Structures are given as C-alpha cells and as structure tokens.
Amino acid sequence: MPPRPYFSGVFAGKTVLVTGHTGFKGSWLTQWLLLLGARVHGLGLDPDTTPSLFDKAGLSARVEHQIGDIRDAALVRRCIAEVQPDFVFHLAAQPLVRHSYKEPVETYATNVMGTVHVLDALRALQKPCAAVMVTTDKCYENREWLHGYREEDPMGGFDPYSSSKGMAELAIAAYRRSFFAGHPVKIASARAGNVIGGGDWALDRIVPDCIRALASGAPIGVRNPHATRPWQHVLEPLSGYLWLAACLSKLPDNHSPLCSGFNFGPGHDANRTVGELVTEVLKSWPGRWEDQSDPHAHHEAQLLQLSTDKAHALLGWSAAWNFAEAVRETVTWYRETEQCNDPALIQSLTHCQIDAYTAAASEAGLPWTQPAP
Ligand SMILES: NC(=O)c1ccc[n+]([C@@H]2O[C@H](COP(=O)([O-])OP(=O)(O)OC[C@H]3O[C@@H](n4cnc5c(N)ncnc54)[C@H](O)[C@@H]3O)[C@@H](O)[C@H]2O)c1
C-alpha cells in the first residue's frame, strides 16, 4: 500500500526514532508513522500492562525494536548514534501522577534525566534531524486559572510527575539555547493534556478504569468526579507532534519561533469534568458509576486548560474531533477489540480510526492534510 500522503509527505522513507514506542501514545504514533511510510525504530521498556496496544497490534514484528532504559545515558547515546534518525519523538516517561507520589526518584530520573540523555545524544548527531520532545500540560505552575495556560507561562508542578515535566521543559530550553544554535538538529517541545483513545490499559486513568469496570459488569469507581480536564483523542496531539516535526524539518536551524514549546489541546467544548466524561462513555457502553472521592487522597489539580492559539497561528493546527466524537471512537475501539487477539484486525481498526480522523481534519481544512505536491 502506498504511504499516506499527509504531513507534506516528509516521513516517507525516513528513519524515525520513537522513545516510549511500547506505550499507549507511542503505539498509536508508531502505527501512524508506518502508514506514512516511515522506518520506525523504537526505544522503550517492555509494555507494562497486559494487555497492551503494542502487543495486540503485533508491533514488535513491524518496527526495529530495542528494549532499553533511557536512564542509561550510554545506551541512549549508542542508540541515537546507530539509528541516525531523521526524526525523533521522545515520549518515554513515567507518566502517572499517583505513581509519582510512590516513586518520586524513579519519576525524576526517567522524566528529567531521560530527557537530558536524549538531548545530549542529539548533540553528537551531525545530520539534519527534527526532534519533538513530549511533556504535558501539567508542566505549568497550576494556579487553577479559568483561562488556558499559554506557552510563556511559568513552569512548575505541585506533584513529582508534573514538576518533573516542568524540569524537562527547562532542560530542553537550556539545551536548545546552549548547544543547538546553528546545529542541524532542530528541537521543539509539545505539551498536551489528558488523552483518551482505544488501547490504553494504564492503572489510575479514567477511561481504562471505565473499560475494566464495564467489561466486568462492575460500577465505575470515580475518584475525582469534579476535576476538569481538556479531554482529547490521542490522535489530536499526535497530529500536532507530527506536523510540528514536519515543519521543523524544513528549517535550516533553531532560529525560528517553531523551535519552542507548543500546546496541543482540544476545543473549549472538551473541557469537561471527569463525571461528564464518564457519563459520555456510558452512552456508548451502558453501565453505572459511583462517586469514590477520597478526602485524604494526594493532591491532583482540579482545573487545567490550555490555550492553543500558538499552534493555531504558527502551524495552522487545531483539533478535528469534538468531545462526543473522541469519546465515541474511544469506546468503539475497546468494544470492537474486546475479544480480539488478531493483530491484523487490531491494526485494521486502528488504521480506520486514523483515516476517519484524517478525513475530519481534511474537512476542517487543516494544512497537514493537504497532499504533498
Ligand atoms: N496519556 C496521557 O494522557 C498523557 C498526557 C500528557 C502527556 N503525556 C505524555 O506522553 C508520553 C507518553 O505517555 P503514555 O500515555 O503513552 O504513557 P505509557 O505509560 O503508556 O508509555 C510510556 C512509555 O515510556 C516508556 N518508558 C517508561 N520508563 C522508561 C525508561 N526508564 N526507559 C525507557 N522507556 C521508558 C515505556 O516503556 C512506554 O513505552 C509521556 O511522556 C507522558 O508524560 C501523556
């Protein structure tokens, strides 16, 4: 099948390193890059959930696959020197707030020093390469503002996970200023909020919690029903990462406003409470939920919104699916694959959702969908 002609066709035939390729977002990104004709090389740990999208979609047979720890600086240096990537998407991280309270040292080591190891290894790369470093909307100092955080707002973070990503952002900016002026490697960072989508089985995330409960006929226990988040389908930020990398790849050096941090978030209609999200899930998979708020639980931000004006102005990027579509596609994916262990069928459903998402983005006139000339 010929490569899909999107993102200016820049990924066709190119070598792309994805760190965290065995994770939820990494597995979706890997499948999208394969559709775009890229040669994908993954660096990450073995999937830590059973099932995992990586295993269900049979991705180990479709990519160059390296299991390794990004806390090992020499391993990361060797990997980048051997792979000689044209593009890097750095997603590997310890991504869970609650786990970061249990394992703060591991969280900082992985999220801060892992990122520094990737940046440092990229310094030695003497060829054009576009690198998108993935952090999170939680990297901002959260003041429970009603308006969305902008890219210039201060980094911060209450808990170890959030602050580790704020620290990663500071390291990315410092490395770019200190080592990458005039360097062939172009670097940007991407901050996205909570994503939903088929194939996530992480603990302590609301959609996987819903699916586990619904599949077993139990009520969904909701810890934080009033917390508001900018929910978006996983394909939304991934389209932002891919388009940002495609635009970076056309720059001669890092002297461009594109070599900076970008928010990727949904439209305002998707800023919903956890309770509203669960109610929407139940429209596609009937069941019930119960409030399990714990007044003694660790602190989690209640209100978090992103401004995406910069991505809109500089990249022409915006979200393509509304809240109801994102939830419906997510629940459909789980329902249709619940009893399925055939990688070909899982891939085919995933490809269908990527194509449906691309069609919606094309209808909205988003520039990344314009076929390459
Ligand atoms: N899922 C979300 O809602 C969300 C929201 C904002 C930001 N993010 C960010 O997106 C990225 C991907 O998140 P995800 O949801 O796919 O998480 P995930 O837990 O599904 O995947 C994490 C990936 O990182 C790898 N990894 C973890 N520790 C590692 C180590 N020490 N060495 C090498 N690899 C390691 C894992 O093997 C896995 O491939 C992370 O950087 C996360 O912080 C996720």
Side-chain angles (χ1 to χ4, degrees):
M1 194 182 290
R4 308 285 201 274
Y6 306 113
F7 302 102
S8 303
V10 300
F11 296 106
K14 292 292 166 43
T15 301
V16 182
L17 175 66
V18 178
T19 74
H21 68 300
T22 53
F24 166 54
K25 282 165 96 172
S27 295
W28 275 94
L29 180 60
T30 295
Q31 292 179 87
W32 203 343
L33 283 163
L34 291 170
L35 282 179
L36 295 167
R39 279 188 303 275
V40 180
H41 187 110
L43 171 64
L45 301 178
D46 278 320
D48 63 354
T49 60
T50 307
S52 71
L53 179 55
F54 184 78
D55 288 334
K56 271 182 99 93
L59 289 180
S60 64
R62 303 184 62 220
V63 298
E64 292 293 318
H65 179 48
Q66 181 172 356
I67 295 300
D69 195 321
I70 55 161
R71 288 170 293 182
D72 180 343
L75 177 139
V76 175
R77 204 177 311 121
R78 235 178 7 257
C79 169
I80 289 186
E82 280 167 20
V83 173
Q84 291 287 305
D86 302 298
F87 294 91
V88 173
F89 294 93
H90 173 52
L91 282 79
Q94 190 303 96
L96 302 171
V97 172
R98 293 228 299 182
H99 186 74
S100 81
Y101 279 112
K102 285 191 210 119
E103 299 291 349
V105 176
E106 175 204 321
T107 301
Y108 286 113
T110 305
N111 296 0
V112 185
M113 290 314 294
T115 300
V116 169
H117 294 158
V118 172
L119 291 165
D120 212 60
L122 286 171
R123 286 173 68 191
L125 196 63
Q126 293 304 322
K127 62 174 284 198
C129 173
V132 172
M133 316 294 286
V134 171
T135 65
T136 172
D137 58 352
K138 296 188 177 67
C139 66
Y140 294 109
E141 182 61 25
N142 190 325
R143 307 212 163 103
E144 304 279 335
W145 280 333
L146 288 174
H147 61 264
Y149 290 83
R150 287 186 303 241
E151 285 81 352
E152 296 71 28
D153 286 327
M155 295 293 113
F158 183 101
D159 57 87
Y161 168 70
S162 305
S163 64
S164 74
K165 288 290 191 167
M167 290 161 80
E169 282 282 355
L170 295 177
I172 294 161
Y175 258 77
R176 189 171 41 232
R177 281 193 299 261
S178 306
F179 304 117
F180 287 95
H183 196 284
V185 178
K186 275 85 66 182
I187 298 182
S189 64
R191 307 157 185 174
N194 287 52
V195 292
I196 59 175
D200 189 8
W201 283 279
L203 291 175
D204 287 342
R205 279 192 188 145
I206 186 60
V207 169
D209 285 350
C210 289
I211 300 301
R212 279 186 284 265
L214 292 169
S216 67
I220 303 164
V222 181
R223 288 194 318 272
N224 223 343
H226 306 296
T228 301
R229 296 282 182 273
W231 305 103
Q232 62 187 333
H233 194 273
V234 62
L235 293 172
E236 306 278 13
L238 295 188
S239 70
Y241 304 166
L242 288 164
W243 188 225
L244 178 56
C247 295
L248 287 180
S249 72
K250 295 179 184 149
L251 299 173
D253 55 37
N254 273 286
H255 299 294
S256 159
L258 295 184
C259 299
S260 61
F262 281 83
N263 292 340
F264 294 106
H268 286 302
D269 96 297
N271 286 317
R272 304 291 183 103
T273 65
V274 174
E276 287 172 310
L277 172 72
V278 174
T279 304
E280 194 68 33
V281 166
L282 295 178
K283 289 183 187 165
S284 299
W285 193 332
R288 62 200 173 85
W289 69 277
E290 57 189 32
D291 188 339
Q292 292 184 357
S293 306
D294 172 3
H296 305 297
H298 282 302
H299 172 275
E300 287 191 47
Q302 292 298 306
L303 190 60
L304 188 50
Q305 303 189 30
L306 285 181
S307 158
T308 54
D309 292 349
K310 182 177 171 185
H312 193 60
L314 296 188
L315 300 171
W317 180 91
S318 30
W321 273 344
N322 63 29
F323 176 70
E325 288 166 326
V327 176
R328 195 181 57 237
E329 294 291 330
T330 298
V331 180
T332 301
W333 194 99
Y334 283 106
R335 286 203 90 166
E336 290 194 9
T337 60
E338 201 193 350
Q339 306 295 339
C340 172
N341 283 313
D342 179 353
L345 287 177
I346 304 280
Q347 280 167 29
S348 139
L349 176 62
T350 307
H351 294 172
C352 277
Q353 292 202 333
I354 290 173
D355 286 340
Y357 176 77
T358 304
S362 175
E363 201 158 305
L366 301 188
W368 63 265
T369 62
Q370 303 307 308

